[in-house]
Amino acid sequence: MSKKWVYLFTEIEEAEKQVGGVWDAVRGLLGGKGANLFEMTRIGLPVPPGFTVTTEACNAYYASGRQFPEGMWEQEVAAMKAIEKVAGKGFGAGDNPLLVSCRSGSKESMPGMMDTVLNIGLNDVTVETLGKLTDNERFAWDAYRRLVEGFGKVVLDIPDTDFEHALHGMKEKLGVKLDTELKTQDLKELTSQYKAIVRRHTGAEFPQDPYDQLRLATEAVFRSWMGKRAVDYRKHEGIPETLGTAVNIVTMVFGNMGNTSGTGVAFTRNPSTGENAVYGEYLINAQGEDVVAGIRTPEKVSVMEKDLPEAYAEFKRITDILEKHYKNMQDVEFTIERGRLWMLQTRNGKRTAAAAIKIAVDMANEGLITKKEAINRVTPDNVNSLLHPQFDMNAKKQAAKEGKLLAKGVNASPGAAVGRAYFDADLAEEKSKEGPVVMVRPFTKPDDVHGMIAAKGILTSEGGATSHAAVVARQFGRPCIVGAGSLKIDLERRIMTADGVTVKEGDWISVDGGTGEAFVGQIPTVAPKFEEQTDLITLLSWADEIAATEGMRKPGKNDSPTRGLQVWANADYPADARRARQFGAQGIGLCRTEHMFFETERLPIVQRMILADTSEERTAALNELLPYQRADFDGLFEAMTGLPVIIRLIDPPLHEFMPDEEALLEEVIEMRVKGETAGLAEKESLLAAIRGMHESNPMMGLRGIRLSIVMPEIVEMQVRAIFEAASDVKLRGFEPHVEVMIPLTGTVRELEVIQPKLERIAKQVVSEKGTSVDYKFGTMIEIPRACVTSYEIANLAEFYSFGTNDLTQMTFGYSRDDAERNFLLKYVEDGILPKNPFQVIDREGVGALMDICVEQGRKTRPGLEVGICGEHGGDPDSIEWCHLIGNNYVSCSPFRVPVARLAAAQAAVKHAK
Amino acid sequence: MSKKWVYLFTEIEEAEKQVGGVWDAVRGLLGGKGANLFEMTRIGLPVPPGFTVTTEACNAYYASGRQFPEGMWEQEVAAMKAIEKVAGKGFGAGDNPLLVSCRSGSKESMPGMMDTVLNIGLNDVTVETLGKLTDNERFAWDAYRRLVEGFGKVVLDIPDTDFEHALHGMKEKLGVKLDTELKTQDLKELTSQYKAIVRRHTGAEFPQDPYDQLRLATEAVFRSWMGKRAVDYRKHEGIPETLGTAVNIVTMVFGNMGNTSGTGVAFTRNPSTGENAVYGEYLINAQGEDVVAGIRTPEKVSVMEKDLPEAYAEFKRITDILEKHYKNMQDVEFTIERGRLWMLQTRNGKRTAAAAIKIAVDMANEGLITKKEAINRVTPDNVNSLLHPQFDMNAKKQAAKEGKLLAKGVNASPGAAVGRAYFDADLAEEKSKEGPVVMVRPFTKPDDVHGMIAAKGILTSEGGATSHAAVVARQFGRPCIVGAGSLKIDLERRIMTADGVTVKEGDWISVDGGTGEAFVGQIPTVAPKFEEQTDLITLLSWADEIAATEGMRKPGKNDSPTRGLQVWANADYPADARRARQFGAQGIGLCRTEHMFFETERLPIVQRMILADTSEERTAALNELLPYQRADFDGLFEAMTGLPVIIRLIDPPLHEFMPDEEALLEEVIEMRVKGETAGLAEKESLLAAIRGMHESNPMMGLRGIRLSIVMPEIVEMQVRAIFEAASDVKLRGFEPHVEVMIPLTGTVRELEVIQPKLERIAKQVVSEKGTSVDYKFGTMIEIPRACVTSYEIANLAEFYSFGTNDLTQMTFGYSRDDAERNFLLKYVEDGILPKNPFQVIDREGVGALMDICVEQGRKTRPGLEVGICGEHGGDPDSIEWCHLIGNNYVSCSPFRVPVARLAAAQAAVKHAK
């Protein structure tokens, strides 16, 4: 006996038996659409009789060089006979002709990618019978001409245009505009012309035998699996080719058989808002394609209650059953044929972010799903999109139509921003007092930060998703596009141009950080408020609960007692910290002290400190800085009372604090050429000093702990400021938990040199203040060598925080300032790298080193606290990795905290045993 | 019974029993000097009776807060009594007074670091007896006054100056200049003054009881172990404090008892040349210190044969016994007291590099030692110093005295160079035609290479031991100093200054690359020739044999069948390859193809290729380069016929081939300011192109395989050139073994993109030529990620070569262009890093990644060939690591090949089981 390739809708048990009864496997065998038809049949819902040719048959078809596998066609014919019997109709015969549709249906939805043939079973004889039976000759001929056209295009590969020409010619001859104006006679004539087209192209008649039609349509669906559109779509979406497609053969039912008939599509809840009320459209006395074609305006589905109260009651009963059965909001298609309701499709409905969250929370509250399930019903992107202002979609489309799209770049930080374009940080800051500003630069540097903060959005022509501009933008929740390569910014003429569009400095532009599109002019936006998003707040509170309980680590090689993965935030200022706390952060994982050095009144002191010739001069400048730093920390500790705050000691190379070398060089040359001597010597010596600090590869240079060893005065001041502030805050009744983080450690001996010195200062300051402060000293892990010598480093470090930006840089040897522009984006596009490793942790390489690091570190120090404070801390896939290797927390920018909370919970659920 | 702290020289068996009989442990217990005195006593050589207080006693002394351990002093007294009996003399008593010396002696030689007291046993009574006994009152009183002085200084901590003043005053009063002019009466008076000094300082008399003298002197030796000089020395040499010092008490014998007495020091072979003939000096009727003081000119030891034929015969017999016993050249001290020869010391003699090699080879040929032992008698430094021209030591000292030392820097490449200083590559090349040149630059770049090759030596004021200048210098065997920070090079005024010394361009300078010293003027040099160094050639042939047999790997985790570690060479040109082969290289491990791009006639074509707007223009330029590259490879394959040649495809970023950005910028700014327009636009567009290539961190940028993926045309041309050349060479009857190396691989998918493409070209070219060529494709391992994903990479790569320069850069996150100058040398100095990881492989970090890489790679591909072609390939410690992780070969610059051959053999011997 040959294998079973064909299943009647009533044979779901047999199908389950074949694949072991798992729903996912059933979907694999029968396709998504098919499996749902089987399932509805099983639970007694009215599905028109039909059967499905399995995906296995499709795969066998390809495996044998495009031949139906043995027995398949015979099974299909037998299934057809079974349906004839059930339906009491005849396929191509008798006074009640059976018509069927033939549709593809893969496991994964591939909307519009594959082919469908309707009305199979019509021929020159049955068309007449159907006309009589329905008392509607025109309907019968219209169906027949559609079959010939559809069959011609899909099965016989005849170009669309041939049929369109014929239709067009007919309408022109008759002087009519709409297809509906064609009379029965016209449609008969058109059918005849269509059949002639078929004859011309194939040299044969349109097949009159319905079984020929069925066989050829089945094969056409198989063939469409390897069609160019489908192949491209699968490649883009990452759907494996091995899935194959099923073929669904379903008895045709007709909603256009009078006023007791109708057809519609509906969602069981509102897919836009999530409101628990059926949402959809229907048309009385119409076919499915009429709803789509827009010839008649459909009614709200609720109108059906008046028109067809019995059918509506049945419809309500069925949608209730479906929601309870699938435990998810359903998107259904249905037809009422002479008062009888038929379900043609059901599937989980697509929904907006807001709806996704509301539905998940409501369903959990209704007891339909568990909180864990609710967590998995929402994507991190859903959460993210609720937190950033969005452009009005229609206004954006309109702007694009009007040619106002200026440029496209990397979508570095989501959200919508509208403002006047300014080309430098000072001007942006100044003009922001008059109205909203978008800062536009070729790229940004640390001393541009004040302008970026003042701006509503940022646009750069260079850099990648982790460039300075991108990182800072995400930190401060500013919409940002980077690397808009087609944009030419002329800083001298104060204009920018792209694709022939020119924008003057001060002109309005709109920046969509979610899509990477920049527009000329103002596009209206919609802005959300976190505290008003009660459903989101509820969902995230469940997420925290689940991460803490389900995420509790089982004993394993990287094990450490923990409450599961927490979410902390990167925040440099008290205001950021307060926002992070509002977003649910359970600590500060990274406070970058150097950002404080860039503020206007401090920078000259910092520069004086750097240029000091003696340790005394340096100390004097540092003493001036100390009160500033202390004040910064004071606010932070107060805002985060009761929660841990990790403060990273100075990290960047000192030349970042100095004036731009090239601008200074230009100035000096100009003065020399012009013979200006006043102030020249001073500028020359400053230039020489800056050149002395020049490094060929500053990312691998004198910074972090290296700088602290060569020039310990700075970190000594910082540690003093930290503990003076912590003591003061403690004395005011708050609970500071201080963690001092030393960056860029590569060998334990570096820590041995610097850490004890700093611990002594901490002890001394706290005792001077006459109080006690809870604190730890630890290190950032961002050097590959630190990962493989973690067994030593953990002897000193009391906590680790992965700096995955730098760790990725060093592990790959990719400069993050250059790589994206030069080759990295191409690598991702060409599939050399599956993802941009600066956005998603590279588990094979960087991740493997992290794993080694945690394992070694916890062997040396079993309770070692491990976190991550790189850009990856807000990325769901990376958060899952952090869960897997036993991190205690991830830290990300405040605006990513809600996303990370969800991702942490999802990871916990996914990997709970 | 208390522990045994004191051993008579005759009690070596007891000492051996205590420590388990191992010679090294015996030396640990008794100190080096002591152990050899015991050993000589055992084999029946004439050693004056004596005993040793053990190092354990010293450690116990410190452990108990500077108290002699229980029983020690009693044992010392008992030993003294035993000696009295053997010597037939009385300690502080009788008519034949026993005098002893008290000397320190640790396991490791610490010359001059600790204290000695001679003539213990003299007092106001025995001095008279001794005078009578020797019939030399003056000798007795001189000995006594020396005891008081030595004891005062060493034991009682009285400042030297007090005694010197007294002596000086005495001589002034008498109007004499030399100590020897003092008469017996003067010495009596001086002794009395010395005793008064002791009284004044200590409030007590100089101890008359010899046992008091002995006890205090013993303790003084113990104390000197923790003296500042000794502590500093140990810290510097890495000698552990826990060793402790022994105290050797030896009966004094006197060489100044008339013409049948004498004293001398000798080497059993010539320590300068290695010649097998006793080499030393002696003085008749003299004491040891007279030889040192230089009052009388010593005779050659051979003169003794005439003076004292019997003693000489005895001496010859004894030195023969000593060499046979110790199987090494000995450095001995002896005294003849009234015709009787006494051996006072023996130890392995220090020797020059040439002598070390000759002695090792000779002794092996004499059957005294095995070839394996011979290999271990020579250090890699010995071999190295024989290969580079050396300055005449005395001439250098003289120049330093005359204030001609210009500057000190990092000793980047050993050897001596003398030439006129020129400040740029073009000038250096041009002037080299007129005479020897030293190229002087702040730092060098790839387009300086022609000048560096033309120069005899290189001197830079910036950069570290692995800067471009240093690497290239070692590659070409040019003496080189880098990072001479005190040197100010004024390129405009064409002068350089340091410490007030000014050198004009064109002046003569001398550069000692072995010490890092640069001198003004010409210092004479001595130059060796490899082919004339027959002993070295013999030794290295043994080394190869031993590395191949002893180095055969035992089954283990990184195992691969191999002949043991081979030595290959890095060579870009046929001449280098021939030299490498002469030096014994068994393959070329790295041919850098890009160096070929820098040659004068090629660079403009290369630049045209880089700036090409279309693929066609680029291909056209590459077609012009192809014949050049083919010719380069042709010569290389011919020179290395029968041996493997690894050719690395283009590695550096393209901007290295372009004119200097900053110089061009200055030019453009100047032209703009001056309003010069002719040629400005062209320069501006070139500047823009170069800026477009600018990278913030070029070391982590668009180079290696990344460049090949973005711009495959270059490597396609290179592979074509390689296989055209290999085919041509094969057709001429040679045997090329081609290995094509792809640099900078970070993920296997990079190789998947590029390698099959290149393999197709290889196959096609070889088949076009109608021949067959043996070849492999492989990759450089220089990215940490490649190490941890080696299990994948080995699926494609047929061989690995560690690029440890880059791997060290990435693993540490140290930019090798900047790190040494900014912090790395300080790190090494402060002990944060044990060694400069760019010179010696960091086993903990970089080495661990290499180990992981080999292990994973050989699991995937069991026969995987693994080598190293970074700078570390010539470093002995790193070579040992390569042996341990199962490398097949190390590759280094041709001039390091002999060193590496020795190091490979030493590693094999050390780790053979």
Side-chain angles (χ1 to χ4, degrees), chain B residues 47 305 522 773:
Chain B
V47 174
E305 196 169 3
Q522 293 168 267
V773 168

Side-chain angles (χ1 to χ4, degrees), chain A residues 662 691 750 785 827 842, chain B residues 662 691 750 785 827 842:
Chain A
E662 195 164 301
R691 284 189 163 176
E750 290 174 310
R785 192 181 188 283
Y827 268 31
D842 157 55
Chain B
E662 197 162 300
R691 283 189 163 178
E750 290 174 311
R785 194 181 187 283
Y827 268 31
D842 157 54

Side-chain angles (χ1 to χ4, degrees), chain B residues 507-528:
Chain B
D507 283 357
W508 285 95
I509 62 172
S510 298
V511 162
D512 189 335
T515 64
E517 296 159 307
F519 294 89
V520 180
Q522 293 168 267
I523 297 176
T525 63
V526 199

